[in-house]
Amino acid sequence: MNDLVVTDKLTRILPETVPVTLVKDVSLTVGEGEFVAITGPSGSGKSSLLYLLGVLDQPTGGTLTIDGQDCGAMSEAERARLRLEKMGFVFQFHFLLPEFSARDNIAIPMRKLGKLSRAEIDERAESLLVSLGLGDHVHKLPSQLSGGQRQRVAVARSLANNPALLLADEPTGSLDSKSSEQVFSILEMLVREQGKTVIIVTHDLEMAARTDRRIHLVDGMLAEAEPAT
């Protein structure tokens, strides 16, 4: 298994009048095709760490390497390109554009990347919807979908550019139990059947136990990193 994500003493401190430490000295490695859960109490730095791993925020100390590339040496444009090409993001709330159909929401990352024609983009978006059980909802607006369906569209959008790494921040946190299971099962399938690397922040310890490994944070520091049980 090749290493996809490597951090060394990754740290994020907010430069307030009294500095606030969000993440401190986190060193970890995540391999290709691995399913990893980040757990910890509220305010422990779970989402802050995920944002650092997704290059959505910049560390104040330590290093981050994604697929062999030193993110600290990149310009903002290079980091944006890295996110677009190699990463997909799923958040607790779907953040779909309300005026766009399910298909057109999924098309947005592909349009930004600019590698496919409009016809190819539409075909891939529709294929992703079909693969996630939403083939009958291609032209529906987010307001015409249930919460679970909207979140599945968000997962499809995260897969638009076929990223190696998916980062999910409490993706089932706003869903009922049935929809939560559907979304989590999709993430499992992406790891087991497609070889994606998935890092998920979750407060649900039952779901965390279904991943390959759990990374537990307390006060921004790594408390344990062990196989899920």
Side-chain angles (χ1 to χ4, degrees), residues 72-116:
M74 294 179 176
S75 66
E76 179 50 44
E78 289 171 330
R79 289 192 291 270
R81 189 72 179 181
L82 176 69
R83 289 192 296 267
L84 194 58
E85 290 186 334
K86 295 186 180 293
M87 299 180 186
F89 298 90
V90 185
F91 301 98
Q92 181 173 354
F93 301 102
H94 54 80
F95 296 118
L96 300 177
L97 295 181
E99 68 275 21
F100 282 15
S101 68
R103 184 187 68 184
D104 289 344
N105 266 283
I106 296 167
I108 293 170
M110 291 184 275
R111 288 185 182 181
K112 286 185 177 180
L113 189 59
K115 289 186 175 181
L116 300 177

Side-chain angles (χ1 to χ4, degrees), residues 20 34 39 66 78 85 105 108 150 158 191 216:
V20 177
E34 195 171 8
T39 62
I66 303 289
E78 289 171 330
E85 290 186 334
N105 266 283
I108 293 170
R150 288 193 290 266
S158 77
V191 175
H216 193 70

Side-chain angles (χ1 to χ4, degrees), residues 144-218:
Q144 297 172 305
L145 301 173
S146 69
Q149 289 169 338
R150 288 193 290 266
Q151 196 66 323
R152 278 188 279 162
V153 174
V155 172
R157 181 183 56 193
S158 77
L159 296 170
N161 290 328
N162 195 28
L165 174 63
L166 259 68
L167 299 160
D169 189 6
E170 297 279 11
T172 64
S174 62
L175 303 178
D176 59 41
S177 58
K178 181 180 178 180
S179 296
S180 294
E181 176 58 32
Q182 288 176 332
V183 170
F184 193 84
S185 293
I186 288 168
L187 296 177
E188 283 186 310
M189 177 272 293
L190 293 171
V191 175
R192 311 303 179 207
E193 298 181 16
Q194 297 188 22
K196 301 292 185 188
T197 301
V198 175
I199 303 176
I200 179 174
V201 166
T202 183
H203 66 278
D204 189 325
L205 296 184
E206 290 186 8
M207 287 188 173
R210 290 161 59 180
T211 65
D212 300 323
R213 181 158 54 101
R214 183 177 63 144
I215 293 169
H216 193 70
L217 293 183
V218 176

